[in-house]
Amino acid sequence: MAADLQQVAASGFSGSYDPADVTFLLKPVTMVPTAVADKEAAIQSGRRHYSEMIAPEPLPDAEYLALYHAALARNGARLAQDVANLAACLAERRPGREIVLVSLARAGTPIGVLLARTLRAWGHSAVHYSVSIIRDRGIDQTALTHIAARHDPRDAVFVDGWTGKGAIAGELRASLAANALGFVPELAVIADPAGQADIAATDDDYLIASGLLNGIVSGLVSRSILNPQYVGKGDFHACVTYPHYAHADVSRAFVDSIAPRAAAATPLSITGHAVRRGGLMAGCEAMLESLLAGCVEGDRNRIKPGIAEATRALLRRVPERLLVRDPGDGDVAHLLHLAARHGIPVERLDKQSQYRAVAIIRGLGNES
């Protein structure tokens, strides 16, 4: 058993996905979770970096899971079209070459699986790895070295599900600025309301169903961990796996529901995104400045814009409040459910905002 774990840690694994779908370049470890409130206090006090801890991941209740299935039914066709559009763009930019998809674990993983399946269905050569990137710590250089030993780094494109305010996009650029392996910080996403991605299928902050859930839609894998107690020199960044949640896993069901529709879709051009990026970035910055001035003591990390980022904040952090553009919007119904369950105040977001939802993390000592 120990030898098997060492092999997994050195060469990757596929989680609950088909091995052809993805190779996670992560090191599975056993780690005691930190309660959400304790984790929040440790992060904001500066005692611990968020990547050094992992919060518990309980299974969603039946009502919340029903909201996931409703979102998948409502927006599945749109996601399939967006995957097709993104896949076609990637293929066009690498004519006749292998496409090396490097998804950013873990929100990027289901999207990377969908892109890989779509590209292969169209006859392109595509391989998919999922790697760790951590705010303020960078991308996993051991994982990049592993990829560079097997593929031409010039064929790689980094994949995520969406952008919030662009923190991870900035981290990617900074991590690869002095990269000697030849990787280019080209980021492709489905939804880019922040204007921070190099390639995006849409600017719209719409609900991608996989964004509602955690490990049970991402191969039964946790978000990545960078703690020296578990990650030594030459190791991949770490993760926890959730095989005990196999009965509730929808990872394969999610991609199985979207991939055939993406492969059958007629791709549409997404070149207009490049023209709109400047305006999107300006709009995001203006919103952040407004919220910083009014409520969060200058800490940008406490602002989580976008449906998916707000979802993660409500699931894994200690929110102070939730702002939504339109409470009647079906794409924010799950956020209102979480807010009601946890007693989180809900306010209206400017109706002109490019975001449909924003979560504000509670500050230390803030009793409001």
Side-chain angles (χ1 to χ4, degrees):
M1 179 63 73
D4 291 343
L5 288 176
Q6 289 175 357
Q7 178 64 27
V8 165
S11 60
F13 64 104
S14 60
S16 63
Y17 291 109
D18 187 294
D21 280 334
V22 63
T23 299
F24 285 99
L25 298 182
L26 295 168
K27 176 185 178 181
V29 300
T30 300
M31 185 176 184
V32 176
T34 303
V36 172
D38 294 339
K39 176 170 167 277
E40 192 65 48
I43 292 170
Q44 292 198 35
S45 68
R47 289 185 287 111
R48 305 285 297 278
H49 189 266
Y50 78 88
S51 65
E52 296 175 30
M53 304 168 285
I54 196 79
E57 279 202 11
L59 290 176
D61 60 29
E63 185 178 357
Y64 188 81
L65 197 58
L67 291 168
Y68 160 77
H69 288 295
L72 185 58
R74 185 172 65 253
N75 291 343
R78 179 178 185 177
L79 177 59
Q81 182 66 59
D82 283 343
V83 168
N85 299 346
L86 197 58
C89 181
L90 297 181
E92 184 178 343
R93 292 164 76 104
R94 290 162 176 76
R97 297 182 65 85
E98 179 182 51
I99 302 168
V100 181
L101 302 165
V102 184
S103 66
L104 304 179
R106 64 187 165 177
T109 309
I111 304 304
V113 172
L114 290 170
L115 288 169
R117 286 194 184 186
T118 303
L119 288 163
R120 291 172 189 151
W122 292 344
H124 301 288
S125 175
V127 62
H128 175 210
Y129 297 94
S130 194
V131 308
S132 166
I133 187 169
I134 295 171
R135 194 188 72 238
D136 304 325
R137 299 292 187 269
I139 198 164
D140 186 343
Q141 296 293 333
T142 300
L144 293 186
T145 300
H146 180 97
I147 295 169
R150 293 158 177 79
H151 310 275
D152 188 334
R154 295 172 299 174
D155 294 332
V157 60
F158 296 89
V159 175
D160 211 346
W162 51 79
T163 61
K165 56 180 179 288
I168 291 300
E171 196 67 55
L172 180 66
R173 291 190 291 268
S175 292
L176 298 182
N179 179 264
L181 296 171
F183 288 95
V184 175
E186 184 178 56
L187 177 63
V189 304
I190 295 296
D192 183 31
Q196 291 286 343
D198 300 286
I199 312 167
T202 181
D203 313 331
D204 187 18
D205 178 29
Y206 80 97
L207 179 57
I208 298 169
S210 58
L212 273 78
L213 302 176
N214 286 319
I216 62 169
V217 79
S218 304
L220 297 180
V221 172
S222 76
R223 68 153 177 77
S224 55
I225 299 161
L226 186 55
N227 183 320
Q229 183 178 346
Y230 301 94
V231 180
K233 184 177 180 180
D235 287 343
F236 298 135
H237 291 184
C239 69
V240 172
T241 60
Y242 304 110
H244 52 291
Y245 285 162
H247 65 285
D249 188 25
V250 296
S251 302
R252 290 200 190 199
F254 172 74
V255 293
D256 287 348
S257 71
I258 302 296
R261 287 186 281 180
T266 300
L268 304 174
S269 173
I270 56 175
T271 55
H273 169 259
V275 177
R276 298 186 294 271
R277 283 185 69 189
L280 293 167
M281 285 189 279
C284 175
E285 189 60 32
M287 182 202 69
L288 290 172
E289 290 299 326
S290 175
L291 291 173
L292 283 167
C295 64
V296 290
E297 303 164 3
D299 187 353
R300 295 167 71 98
N301 291 332
R302 286 172 52 200
I303 303 174
K304 303 297 180 183
I307 290 174
E309 291 305 300
T311 302
R312 275 154 172 66
L314 268 63
L315 288 173
R316 302 202 304 240
R317 302 292 295 274
V318 180
E320 170 187 302
R321 54 198 164 116
L322 171 69
L323 290 74
V324 297
R325 195 171 67 189
D326 175 11
D329 181 356
D331 277 9
V332 301
H334 70 291
L335 291 171
L336 297 178
H337 169 82
L338 290 171
R341 191 172 75 184
H342 296 293
I344 299 165
V346 178
E347 300 176 6
R348 292 296 290 269
L349 187 63
D350 184 346
K351 64 181 180 180
Q352 301 302 320
S353 174
Q354 65 215 53
Y355 295 95
R356 299 192 194 191
V358 177
I360 308 294
I361 302 301
R362 183 181 297 277
L364 287 175
N366 187 345
E367 300 301 328
S368 62

